[in-house]
Amino acid sequence: AWKAKVGLGFSGIVVANGRAYTAGHNGGKDTIFCFDAETGKEVWKHSYDSELGNKYFDGGTTGTPTVDNEKVYWLSRWGDLFCFDATSGKIVWEKNVQKETGIRIPDWGFAGAPYVHKNLLVLNIGEAGMGVDKMNGRIVWKSADKNAGYSTPLPIPDSPEPLVVLGNYDHYVAINPETGKEAWRVRWVTEYGVNAADPIFHDRKMFTPTGYKKGAALFDLQQNPPKEIWRNKS
């Protein structure tokens, strides 16, 4: 039906209100693209200087944009955080949260997509995430200066209190998205600290799939900390 060249990367595509958004890297720049989802016509794009970051892999973008009403949010591997007008591509605000906080960049850069909770963006930055005001980029809370993982912060459905789970270098951690307060963590060690897989939630349980021959496990979220039900290397 249509195709487009967006450069190098591993970004997903998010579709909202008839538009498709993604990102790629080419010629020393990252570019955020907005296409008409039906025709593939380019609606807008924005490029900025960025490193390729080809450490042990091809490099390029690894995150995915997030759409919230008429705004698009984007976090780069190096901490560049943008808020765009979803229709026009005009920058509402931008900043580099890594440079502002001095928090360390994990081996392959930040990844995943920002998660929107009320007036906050939850980012997988630091040991247990970072909360940023989605209206202006002000940092509301942050976690310890340790390596983040590479998963997207995801909410636990049907949780008695709002909880978001993200992977850091050796755990999956549940936090309150409004305050950053940690509720629990499950130790999960993979080679090179690559906790990149998003957990899957169902019926108050959490499934953690992983690469590097680690396998997967199922946890009961009705207990604190979650109790492991089974683990399998298949």
Side-chain angles (χ1 to χ4, degrees):
W2 62 265
K3 61 181 179 179
K5 288 187 176 182
V6 298
L8 187 63
F10 297 81
S11 299
I13 297 173
V14 59
V15 178
N17 300 319
R19 296 184 291 267
Y21 305 88
T22 192
H25 181 96
N26 186 45
K29 293 181 181 292
D30 285 350
T31 301
I32 313 303
F33 293 90
C34 172
F35 299 102
D36 183 295
E38 291 290 335
T39 67
K41 180 183 177 181
E42 186 179 292
V43 179
W44 59 261
K45 66 180 179 181
H46 175 78
S47 300
Y48 61 94
D49 292 338
S50 182
E51 295 179 36
L52 175 62
N54 56 338
K55 179 180 180 178
Y56 304 133
F57 80 119
D58 294 337
T61 57
T62 57
T64 297
T66 295
V67 180
D68 178 50
N69 295 321
E70 282 302 309
K71 299 292 190 297
V72 177
Y73 298 99
W74 164 255
L75 173 67
S76 83
R77 292 176 62 193
W78 318 117
D80 304 289
L81 183 61
F82 289 88
C83 173
F84 299 99
D85 179 275
T87 304
S88 68
K90 179 182 177 181
I91 297 175
V92 180
W93 55 261
E94 64 176 301
K95 68 190 312 183
N96 186 295
V97 291
Q98 189 279 326
K99 291 179 180 177
E100 180 175 330
T101 61
I103 205 159
R104 72 188 65 188
I105 300 173
D107 289 341
W108 288 274
F110 303 117
Y115 169 66
V116 178
H117 177 80
K118 297 181 180 178
N119 66 321
L120 292 179
L121 302 176
V122 180
L123 312 174
N124 195 346
I125 294 179
E127 184 184 23
M130 176 183 290
V132 175
D133 189 319
K134 71 178 185 180
M135 302 302 295
N136 53 30
R138 178 178 64 89
I139 295 173
V140 177
W141 58 263
K142 60 181 180 178
S143 57
D145 182 19
K146 296 182 179 180
N147 274 348
Y150 307 94
S151 70
T152 291
L154 292 177
I156 300 177
D158 303 321
S159 175
E161 62 174 314
L163 288 178
V164 172
V165 175
L166 50 83
N168 67 19
Y169 65 104
D170 60 358
H171 288 82
Y172 278 91
V173 185
I175 57 169
N176 183 312
E178 297 170 10
T179 64
K181 182 180 179 181
E182 183 176 319
W184 51 258
R185 61 175 53 200
V186 170
R187 184 165 173 80
W188 195 256
V189 178
T190 52
E191 288 189 63
Y192 314 110
V194 182
N195 282 332
D198 293 338
I200 298 169
F201 304 108
H202 177 70
D203 193 25
R204 300 303 307 279
K205 296 179 179 67
M206 178 177 74
F207 178 67
T208 55
T210 312
Y212 296 95
K213 301 180 181 179
K214 171 77 172 183
L218 187 70
F219 294 90
D220 182 357
L221 298 185
Q222 297 185 78
Q223 302 188 48
N224 190 352
K227 181 181 178 182
E228 184 176 307
I229 299 171
W230 56 257
R231 184 177 296 227
N232 194 319
K233 281 196 174 185
S234 293

